[in-house]
């Protein structure tokens, strides 16, 4: 679960921006999209290929 703590003098807009950035980096939306819609074997292959490339870069 992604959490963002808001500082005393921090605006809600900046906290919301940080939250959105954390959610996008963690890949939550990508997982939701993948689970909601049927994934063809080709799409599954491409997704796994991208994951392998990303893991190799790290």
């Amino acid at each position: 679960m992604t959490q963002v703590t808001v500082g005393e003098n921090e605006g809600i807009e900046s906290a919301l921006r940080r939250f959105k950035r954390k959610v996008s980096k963690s890949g939550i939306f990508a997982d939701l999209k993948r689970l909601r819609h049927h994934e063809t074997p080709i799409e599954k292959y491409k997704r796994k290929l991208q994951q392998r490339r990303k893991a190799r870069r790290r």
Side-chain angles (χ1 to χ4, degrees):
M1 183 185 324
T2 303
Q3 291 183 345
V4 174
T5 55
V6 181
E8 285 185 33
N9 296 330
E10 184 180 14
I12 192 73
E13 292 85 17
S14 63
L16 188 60
R17 224 177 299 126
R18 283 192 303 128
F19 175 74
K20 287 181 181 180
R21 195 177 312 128
K22 275 190 173 183
V23 168
S24 67
K25 281 189 177 183
S26 66
I28 292 173
F29 286 128
D31 286 341
L32 281 176
K33 184 179 176 184
R34 184 177 56 84
L35 293 173
R36 280 188 182 167
H37 303 289
H38 175 70
E39 191 175 38
T40 64
I42 291 173
E43 291 171 340
K44 187 176 181 179
Y45 172 76
K46 286 181 181 179
R47 179 178 50 83
K48 291 197 177 228
L49 188 64
Q50 283 179 340
Q51 286 176 345
R52 279 184 260 153
R53 286 179 184 161
K54 191 174 183 180
R56 207 177 309 138
R57 273 189 261 148
R58 291 183 184 173

